[in-house]
Amino acid sequence: MKIQLALDRLEIQEAIQLTKLVEHSIDWIEVGTSLIKEFGMTSIKELKNAFPNKKIIADIKTIDNARYEFEMCFNAGADVATVMGVSPLVTIDTCFEVASQHNKQVMIDLLNTSEEQKSYLMKYKDAIFCDHVSKDEQEENGKSQSGIRQTEMFKKHFLKTAVAGGITTNTLKSLKARLNPDVVIIGSAITKAGNPKEAAEKFKNLIVKLEGETVYE
């Protein structure tokens, strides 16, 4: 499992400095929706400039105006951009068209998607599918990673998967056993830790351990 560090509710330079502390333990860097909304494409450009050898995910959460938004993200240096799974299929098709032109990738956020919508999304074989417990659910309703809605069928139907929403070292073993995602998206468990470097190392070491053993619930 790769670790995608989610950077949200930070100034750009704060995000860069924090990422420098943990860069050896994380694999991908997510320029969070809040950074993009507050600082625009500059946030993507500066993170890519600071970490040119890391995969940069622009969590723009496109739901319309796909060509314009994805072009902006890829031109700013993003390697992956996100689109909401509840978007019209023409929007998602356009995301993949733009990504193909730039030799980039698309992550489809399954937040609030119905089973019917998921069945339509299965045709996107090159997508990274993200099961996502929203920030509002975590903060307002007290839900955490235990609220992940997908089952082992998630991995069966979607070839490349990511999970996001309140992941901690305490939930990681169960998460791997149940879903075995390709990417775990971790935010506050690292970014708000008293010692982010140490927190990131703990996640990385645990993943190495779990990858080396058969994990059961």
Side-chain angles (χ1 to χ4, degrees):
M1 294 186 291
K2 294 187 181 299
I3 295 176
Q4 177 174 317
L5 177 68
L7 299 168
D8 276 296
R9 305 182 189 183
L10 297 164
E11 299 288 329
I12 294 176
Q13 288 306 312
E14 284 181 310
I16 290 172
Q17 291 304 314
L18 190 151
T19 305
K20 285 181 178 179
L21 294 175
V22 304
E23 63 176 310
H24 297 299
S25 296
I26 59 103
D27 304 289
W28 297 0
I29 299 170
E30 174 190 315
V31 184
T33 313
S34 62
L35 264 74
I36 294 173
K37 284 187 174 183
E38 187 169 359
F39 303 107
M41 294 300 104
T42 299
S43 60
I44 299 172
K45 289 178 183 176
E46 294 204 20
L47 265 299
K48 188 61 176 180
N49 287 338
F51 305 97
N53 297 319
K54 294 286 189 184
K55 183 170 286 192
I56 301 294
I57 291 77
D59 190 19
I60 197 166
K61 291 186 172 68
T62 288
I63 199 166
D64 191 16
N65 205 15
R67 189 175 304 279
Y68 179 74
E69 292 190 358
F70 265 47
E71 288 281 1
M72 282 199 305
C73 288
F74 294 141
N75 288 334
D79 301 290
V80 182
T82 64
V83 61
M84 301 307 294
V86 296
S87 305
L89 290 180
V90 64
T91 297
I92 301 175
D93 286 340
T94 301
C95 290
F96 277 91
E97 179 186 334
V98 175
S100 178
Q101 291 168 353
H102 288 264
N103 196 27
K104 305 293 186 180
Q105 291 180 282
V106 177
M107 182 179 286
I108 299 178
D109 191 323
L110 298 176
L111 183 66
N112 215 38
T113 52
S114 67
E115 292 306 312
E116 182 181 15
Q117 287 169 320
K118 290 186 182 76
S119 69
Y120 295 142
L121 296 173
M122 289 178 193
K123 72 173 185 174
Y124 299 107
K125 302 300 183 184
D126 295 329
I128 305 166
F129 290 92
C130 179
D131 181 23
H132 183 191
V133 176
S134 74
K135 181 66 69 176
D136 286 336
E137 288 177 291
Q138 293 176 61
E139 293 183 347
E140 305 301 330
N141 297 335
K143 290 184 180 180
S144 66
Q145 192 59 44
S146 60
I148 285 279
R149 296 170 183 78
Q150 309 302 334
T151 67
E152 60 273 7
M153 297 298 287
F154 174 60
K155 187 65 176 179
K156 180 178 179 181
H157 290 307
F158 299 128
L159 297 180
K160 192 158 190 176
T161 58
V163 290
I167 297 174
T168 69
T169 52
N170 292 329
T171 61
L172 196 58
K173 183 174 182 178
S174 173
L175 183 61
K176 178 171 173 58
R178 195 152 57 91
L179 299 181
N180 193 28
D182 299 288
V183 182
V184 286
I185 302 173
I186 303 168
S188 59
I190 292 176
T191 61
K192 293 183 180 180
N195 187 330
K197 184 176 186 291
E198 183 180 275
E201 288 172 350
K202 285 182 178 179
F203 273 106
K204 192 67 172 180
N205 291 337
L206 180 55
I207 287 174
V208 169
K209 179 184 177 183
L210 294 176
E211 296 287 351
E213 64 183 44
T214 303
V215 182
Y216 299 97
E217 277 275 46

